[in-house]
Amino acid sequence: MIGKESTAGRATKFTFLGLWLVFTVFPLYWITITSLKAPGDIFAFPIAYWPEHFSLENYSGLFGKADFGVYLTNSLIVATVAAAIATVISMLSAYVLARFEFRTKSALLMAALVTQMIPTFIALGPLYLLMTDLKMVDNRLGLILVYIAVCIPFCTVMLRGFFENIPDALEEAAMIDGLSRFGALFRVLLPVMRPGIIAAFIFNFVNCWNELFLSVTLMNSDSNKTVPTALNGFISSFNIDWGSMSAAAVLTILPTMVLFAFASRHIVQGLTAGAVKG
């Protein structure tokens, strides 16, 4: 009886997971198939879930008619630079919050958490006025600075958990051996924290890569627009270019998929290590 219940339970579990997998993967499959259909076949009826003829017309049109290569380059530069700088700053601030006690420590942690509760679009107006005064509207450097400021609070709280999981004795032993505090940080603690740092960088990169509101607000010219802004441009008041949008969506998803594929082991280790304080 127990064996039958166990088998039935496994069958139910696998059935549920299978349905969930189909529900999750089907949108990606449909976007990919749509991008490989000729523009005239996208609205054909009955619906073809596997087209008879594949076409790269949507992809060729994407790079031939639009500056999508420029958008990809802009997104790659902005997301990589912003994620790297935000990770370094967050790492240093998290180290201070984890290793030192000072009067405003609790207030800083609370402020970092409160910022995550405020929707981004609420700050768009004041932020646009500020960036206009600084003459950084329609400037990739300005967008990078904004993304850094957005990523730092949560990333700091996240990395603080990693530092707290590392015993103080490890750092103290390194300092007894002659290393300075910075030497112990960079030569002893950071190698131990590598999974956490990689997880934080990927979190920041994906957030910057997918961000839309700030990019649409601050970037005006085609030479400075990022990929989310380009995707938004395929939607007009009277029409949606589904073929080009699907092709652009596939090319947008690929970098993050590759990044997660190569760094998945570090992400799992990093998130697990920072989940519970030892």
Side-chain angles (χ1 to χ4, degrees), residues 168-180 184:
D168 295 343
L170 186 64
E171 184 179 1
E172 292 170 356
M175 295 175 66
I176 291 174
D177 288 339
L179 291 177
S180 64

Side-chain angles (χ1 to χ4, degrees), residues 47 57 80 240 267 273:
I47 299 174
E57 187 175 344
T80 303
I240 299 178
I267 295 173

Side-chain angles (χ1 to χ4, degrees), residues 101-246:
E101 294 294 334
F102 48 93
R103 185 172 300 176
T104 58
K105 178 177 178 179
S106 298
L108 288 174
L109 287 172
M110 182 60 66
L113 293 174
V114 169
T115 58
Q116 305 306 303
M117 305 176 189
I118 302 175
T120 304
F121 64 85
I122 291 180
L124 288 180
L127 182 61
Y128 183 81
L129 294 177
L130 174 63
M131 300 304 287
T132 301
D133 292 338
L134 296 175
K135 300 186 184 304
M136 285 191 171
V137 173
D138 199 24
N139 187 320
R140 286 184 298 184
L141 177 60
L143 187 62
I144 288 173
L145 293 176
V146 172
Y147 282 170
I148 291 172
V150 170
C151 290
I152 284 176
F154 180 81
C155 193
T156 297
V157 176
M158 175 182 175
L159 289 176
R160 174 176 173 265
F162 292 108
F163 277 115
E164 289 185 339
N165 283 333
I166 300 177
D168 295 343
L170 186 64
E171 184 179 1
E172 292 170 356
M175 295 175 66
I176 291 174
D177 288 339
L179 291 177
S180 64
R181 184 172 290 276
F182 276 103
L185 171 62
F186 287 101
R187 297 179 63 179
V188 177
L189 298 187
L190 293 193
V192 177
M193 281 190 59
R194 184 174 61 178
I197 294 173
I198 293 175
F201 173 81
I202 293 177
F203 174 84
N204 290 333
F205 179 88
V206 172
N207 277 349
C208 296
W209 181 268
N210 294 330
E211 200 282 323
L212 173 63
F213 292 113
L214 294 173
S215 178
V216 170
T217 302
L218 298 177
M219 298 290 105
N220 300 322
S221 63
D222 287 339
S223 60
N224 289 322
K225 287 182 179 179
T226 57
V227 169
T229 309
L231 288 172
N232 187 61
F234 291 116
I235 303 174
S236 64
S237 301
F238 304 100
N239 184 40
I240 299 178
D241 189 351
W242 289 110
S244 298
M245 177 179 283
S246 298

Side-chain angles (χ1 to χ4, degrees), residues 65-121:
K65 300 176 184 178
D67 297 326
F68 197 75
V70 176
Y71 303 146
L72 281 174
T73 303
N74 289 337
S75 284
L76 185 62
I77 293 173
V78 170
T80 303
V81 174
I85 296 177
T87 302
V88 172
I89 295 175
S90 300
M91 177 190 65
L92 296 175
S93 57
Y95 175 76
V96 172
L97 291 173
R99 288 293 189 261
F100 298 96
E101 294 294 334
F102 48 93
R103 185 172 300 176
T104 58
K105 178 177 178 179
S106 298
L108 288 174
L109 287 172
M110 182 60 66
L113 293 174
V114 169
T115 58
Q116 305 306 303
M117 305 176 189
I118 302 175
T120 304
F121 64 85

